[in-house]
Amino acid sequence: SFCRDAQACRDMLREAETTGEVSFMQYFNLHRLSHDLRSIAMSPRLAYWASQLLGVPRVRLYQDALFVKRPGHGPTRWHSDLGLAPFDTNAYVTVWIPLTPIPAQGGSGLTFARASHRDFALPYHGDPQEDLSGRYDLQEGGELRLGDATFHHGWTLHSANELPEDAVEPRLAWTVSFFADGSRLLRMREGAAIEEEDAVSFEDWIGDVKGGDVVDHCLLPVVPVAA
């Protein structure tokens, strides 16, 4: 269903939160609206570690996203970030930055399925939404303080628990995602479609790049790397 105006959309989202249809709120690409956020998203230090972890000389900024999980919000399903992005590459990394302290227990921090980014069999023989504890070693993000951050590969499966109703405050986190400079846009087979869950993040530029072409767009800038 569609909403007529901003207030109607807010009311619809609130109802979806109440019924459990929405387990968190997500806001994309705030760096395009805030000079302060852009200076962090374009940080040479972040770009340095992203390029080092990916083993590439340069990275481009793909997106940032603010996640808001309120007390009582449900779990975040198992997923991999690169499965929602339109790039033909394996060189993609996300930085997850808590904006509220994440306690070791009950704080809805991330849980990672270790080495899942190298599991080529999963899409053919497994189900990412099943209990993965028997397939992988699961690693909790643990306690995170303000100023901490975690990095995970674009194909790494990760999830988050629900935020208990008695939590004293919402859980806020900000992510910044980078991909290797020189990556190409997916060339889709006839009848196929790019995953649209994050379409709001790439709809402003994807029509300017042909499938199979190197992605070179002003909305996806190369980030200077710290020496």
Side-chain angles (χ1 to χ4, degrees):
S1 60
F2 296 93
C3 42
R4 298 180 303 277
D5 52 42
Q7 186 57 52
C9 288
R10 294 189 190 97
D11 294 341
M12 184 181 296
L13 285 171
R14 287 295 187 185
E15 181 178 355
E17 289 183 89
T18 302
T19 60
E21 295 178 66
V22 173
S23 55
F24 58 86
M25 301 298 293
Q26 185 174 5
Y27 305 87
F28 283 109
N29 292 320
L30 299 180
H31 75 275
R32 297 178 187 169
L33 305 175
S34 165
H35 174 78
D36 291 338
L37 289 179
R38 184 171 179 83
S39 67
I40 300 172
M42 294 289 291
S43 163
R45 291 182 64 190
L46 290 183
Y48 171 81
W49 287 112
S51 62
Q52 289 292 301
L53 290 168
L54 295 175
V56 299
R58 291 174 304 280
V59 293
R60 287 179 177 266
L61 172 62
Y62 170 42
Q63 66 179 21
D64 76 88
L66 173 67
F67 293 86
V68 180
K69 183 170 283 195
R70 298 188 177 94
H73 273 181
T76 304
R77 65 180 176 85
W78 287 102
H79 68 284
S80 57
D81 297 341
L82 194 45
L84 305 174
F87 305 116
D88 185 6
T89 184
N90 290 313
Y92 182 109
V93 67
T94 295
V95 190
W96 198 87
I97 305 169
L99 302 182
T100 52
I102 306 296
Q105 301 293 331
S108 192
L110 295 188
T111 299
F112 303 100
R114 297 184 63 182
S116 57
H117 64 296
R118 297 196 296 265
D119 188 358
F120 292 98
L122 181 66
Y124 300 98
H125 306 301
D127 179 359
Q129 299 310 314
E130 68 183 4
D131 180 9
L132 300 180
S133 60
R135 190 179 185 96
Y136 309 110
D137 290 331
L138 301 185
Q139 180 174 338
E140 301 287 342
E143 180 181 5
L144 295 174
R145 301 176 181 179
L146 298 183
D148 290 341
T150 63
F151 287 71
H152 60 268
H153 190 273
W155 287 124
T156 297
L157 288 165
H158 54 287
S159 66
N161 292 327
E162 67 278 359
L163 189 62
E165 291 190 4
D166 60 356
V168 297
E169 61 181 350
R171 187 215 70 182
L172 304 179
W174 188 54
T175 64
V176 186
S177 296
F178 302 96
F179 66 100
D181 183 34
S183 299
R184 296 180 182 274
L185 188 68
L186 282 173
R187 181 185 283 116
M188 304 305 295
R189 297 186 300 274
E190 184 176 355
I194 294 175
E195 172 62 57
E196 294 188 351
E197 181 174 332
D198 287 359
V200 67
S201 180
F202 54 74
E203 62 186 5
D204 287 339
W205 60 264
I206 197 168
D208 299 333
V209 183
K210 294 182 180 179
D213 284 359
V214 170
V215 178
D216 181 7
H217 197 280
C218 62
L219 292 180
L220 308 171
V222 173
V223 186
V225 175

